[in-house]
Amino acid sequence: MNEIVISVLASIAASGALVGVLVWLSKEWISARLRSSIQHEYDQKIETFKAQLKAQSDVALVELRAVIQREAGLLAAATSSFAEGQKAAMERKLQAVDKLWGRVLLLRKGLPPILGFIDVLTVDEYKGVKNHPTFVALSEGWSIERIGQLVDSEVEQVRPYVGEYTWAVFSSYQAVMLRIVFLLHAGRTDADKLEWHKDSGTLQILRAVITAAEFAEFEATTFGKITWLHRRFESKILTAARKLVSGEEFGADALEQAQIIQQKVAQLNLKTA
């Protein structure tokens, strides 16, 4: 009897164990199938998502390239337009500088020979030259009207292109030279006028244009003063012209100096007229 019970119990235990194993195996199989199904679905979604991202990326890339090409085209057109504008502006500057320098040369050439005669004298000999035959001969025919003809009103057309400082130096050069001619003309009857280097209007312009050291050098020069002025003014005009051609900007100090020079020139012109 006991053996039968034990046998039945053993059979039941074995069956329970087998069922347990089967249940465990069923669970593992089901779990594996679920994991595999989930992984497959996940992989499909990942691939779909990757495909969508790639499609969106390709579209965005095409749009970005189109934008870049459009912007590059606009930039190229703007750069070309700017370059053409700069080229035209530089050509006008060069033409203006060329015309202004040509006027400087014409002014120097057009000045009366009396200046050359005066320049071979020392400052101490100026007043005593009033009755010198050469001075009398060279000073004849130089009326106020003829002196005024040395001014070229058309040259002011270059002013917008050469800038205020360059124009101020040129106009002061012209004003000083004409003032000297005027004083020498007046010196035919008034010997004091022959000492042109003491004229207040002339000195005011010089102080506005040249430095203190340069003015001291002018004052110390006793022979060839007019030649000294020619060289100094022309050097300043050429320096300003080189600055213009190089594209360098004139500072606020230069513009302020130009205003002062122009004021002195206007005052001297009124005094000479």
Side-chain angles (χ1 to χ4, degrees), residues 25-39:
L25 289 174
S26 297
K27 287 181 179 180
E28 288 297 317
W29 179 76
I30 292 171
S31 177
R33 289 294 302 271
L34 287 173
R35 285 197 298 270
S36 176
S37 177
I38 292 171
Q39 182 67 43

Side-chain angles (χ1 to χ4, degrees), residues 145-174:
E145 290 74 16
R146 189 175 178 185
I147 295 173
Q149 291 174 359
L150 293 173
V151 178
D152 180 7
S153 58
E154 292 184 0
V155 73
E156 193 165 0
Q157 294 175 356
V158 306
R159 185 173 179 176
Y161 306 106
V162 300
E164 286 301 292
Y165 176 77
T166 309
W167 175 257
V169 176
F170 166 76
S171 60
S172 63
Y173 177 39
Q174 181 176 254

Side-chain angles (χ1 to χ4, degrees), residues 64-218:
L64 180 59
R65 284 176 177 171
V67 171
I68 291 174
Q69 289 176 354
R70 184 169 63 252
E71 293 296 329
L74 292 174
L75 180 60
T79 302
S80 176
S81 177
F82 178 76
E84 288 299 320
Q86 288 293 95
K87 180 181 177 182
M90 180 54 69
E91 287 178 353
R92 287 196 173 189
K93 276 187 180 181
L94 291 173
Q95 291 171 359
V97 167
D98 184 61
K99 186 173 182 179
L100 187 69
W101 182 246
R103 183 55 200 158
V104 170
L105 298 180
L106 284 175
L107 175 64
R108 190 203 303 165
K109 183 179 180 181
L111 291 172
I114 189 67
L115 292 184
F117 174 71
I118 287 292
D119 216 29
V120 300
L121 305 176
T122 65
V123 293
D124 294 331
E125 295 172 326
Y126 283 175
K127 291 185 71 172
V129 79
K130 178 176 175 290
N131 298 317
H132 193 286
T134 302
F135 175 81
V136 173
L138 292 177
S139 61
E140 288 179 351
W142 278 95
S143 62
I144 300 299
E145 290 74 16
R146 189 175 178 185
I147 295 173
Q149 291 174 359
L150 293 173
V151 178
D152 180 7
S153 58
E154 292 184 0
V155 73
E156 193 165 0
Q157 294 175 356
V158 306
R159 185 173 179 176
Y161 306 106
V162 300
E164 286 301 292
Y165 176 77
T166 309
W167 175 257
V169 176
F170 166 76
S171 60
S172 63
Y173 177 39
Q174 181 176 254
V176 166
M177 288 298 128
L178 296 186
R179 178 66 178 175
I180 295 173
V181 175
F182 170 80
L183 291 172
L184 295 180
H185 172 74
R188 298 177 63 190
T189 56
D190 184 356
D192 290 338
K193 300 292 185 183
L194 295 174
E195 295 184 293
W196 60 268
H197 61 290
K198 295 180 180 180
D199 178 63
S200 61
T202 301
L203 295 180
Q204 284 180 9
I205 287 186
L206 291 181
R207 288 183 182 278
V209 177
I210 64 179
T211 65
E214 289 171 330
F215 186 80
E217 182 181 338
F218 169 76

Side-chain angles (χ1 to χ4, degrees), residues 6-20:
I6 292 171
S7 177
V8 170
L9 292 174
S11 177
I12 292 172
S15 297
L18 178 61
V19 170

